[in-house]
């Protein structure tokens, strides 16, 4: 499905950075665009495009993580990280669908009433905007929390016995 190694390094270790940046960035962008039509006007097609790239990055990273899981010692921390990682795809799908819906609703409203593009409040009907904003906020917070949980469990799995709380003497 995707690369397992990149220049001899497990791809998961590199790809995870894309997910850690793109998913929260998409969530924040979605919330801002859903709340303020003026922000949506500036984003345009970039919002669903960003959400699509975020969505694509999740299964690529998960696949690379599954490869890595088969090449490290299994323990409870690794299994927890793997289980949490498997739960991110539905959030990424929800981000993409919400971003596409917000973009489509904005585009549809502005094509019906071109004068509304100049307005910052009348572009999309208020009940629809409030609903979109609340739904986007719920999805965005959920996705962000899940990324945090996955990252925290991954850091614990990777570093639980790989460092000392006290500095080591110089080996120079």
């Amino acid at each position: 499905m995707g690369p397992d190694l990149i220049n001899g390094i497990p791809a998961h270790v590199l790809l995870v950075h894309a997910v850690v940046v793109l998913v929260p960035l998409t969530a924040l962008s979605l919330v801002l665009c859903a709340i303020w039509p003026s922000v949506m006007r500036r984003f345009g097609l970039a919002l669903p495009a960003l959400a699509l790239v975020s969505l694509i990055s999740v299964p690529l990273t998960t696949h690379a993580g599954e490869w890595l899981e088969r090449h490290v010692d299994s323990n409870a921390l690794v299994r927890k990280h793997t289980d949490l990682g498997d739960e991110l795809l539905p959030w990424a799908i929800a981000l993409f669908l919400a971003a596409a819906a917000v973009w489509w609703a904005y585009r549809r409203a502005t094509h019906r009433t071109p004068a509304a593009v100049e307005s910052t409040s009348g572009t999309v009907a208020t009940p629809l905007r409030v609903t979109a904003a609340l739904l986007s906020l719920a999805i965005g917070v959920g996705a962000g929390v899940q990324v945090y949980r996955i990252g925290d469990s991954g850091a614990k799995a990777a570093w639980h016995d790989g460092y000392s709380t006290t500095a080591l003497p110089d080996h120079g």
Side-chain angles (χ1 to χ4, degrees):
M1 176 173 180
D4 296 325
L5 293 170
I6 299 174
N7 201 27
I9 298 172
H12 180 74
V13 176
L14 301 172
L15 293 172
V16 73
H17 291 86
V19 172
V20 168
V21 170
L22 292 175
V23 171
L25 181 63
T26 300
L28 178 61
S29 301
L30 172 61
V31 170
L32 293 175
C33 287
I35 293 173
W36 290 292
S38 61
V39 175
M40 183 64 240
R41 181 175 59 243
R42 288 184 185 97
F43 263 81
L45 193 56
L47 178 64
L50 176 63
L52 181 60
V53 172
S54 295
L55 174 58
I56 291 168
S57 72
V58 170
L60 288 175
T61 303
T62 303
H63 172 77
E66 290 167 353
W67 179 90
L68 181 58
E69 180 185 19
R70 291 188 302 272
H71 292 84
V72 298
D73 291 335
S74 182
N75 61 49
L77 295 172
V78 170
R79 286 188 298 278
K80 179 180 180 181
H81 176 64
T82 302
D83 291 343
L84 288 171
D86 289 338
E87 296 173 9
L88 185 58
L89 186 58
W91 288 106
I93 291 169
L95 278 173
F96 173 71
L97 293 175
V102 166
W103 171 78
W104 179 80
Y106 174 82
R107 189 170 186 271
R108 185 169 175 245
T110 57
H111 279 85
R112 279 192 177 164
T113 57
V117 175
E118 299 303 318
S119 169
T120 59
S121 61
T123 306
V124 178
T126 301
L128 179 60
R129 267 196 17 244
V130 169
T131 302
L134 291 175
L135 188 59
S136 297
L137 185 61
I139 293 168
V141 168
V145 167
Q146 189 63 19
V147 167
Y148 172 81
R149 292 175 65 216
I150 295 165
D152 181 60
S153 69
K156 286 176 181 172
W159 293 99
H160 73 282
D161 62 358
Y163 72 97
S164 173
T165 55
T166 58
L168 300 174
D170 287 338
H171 296 293

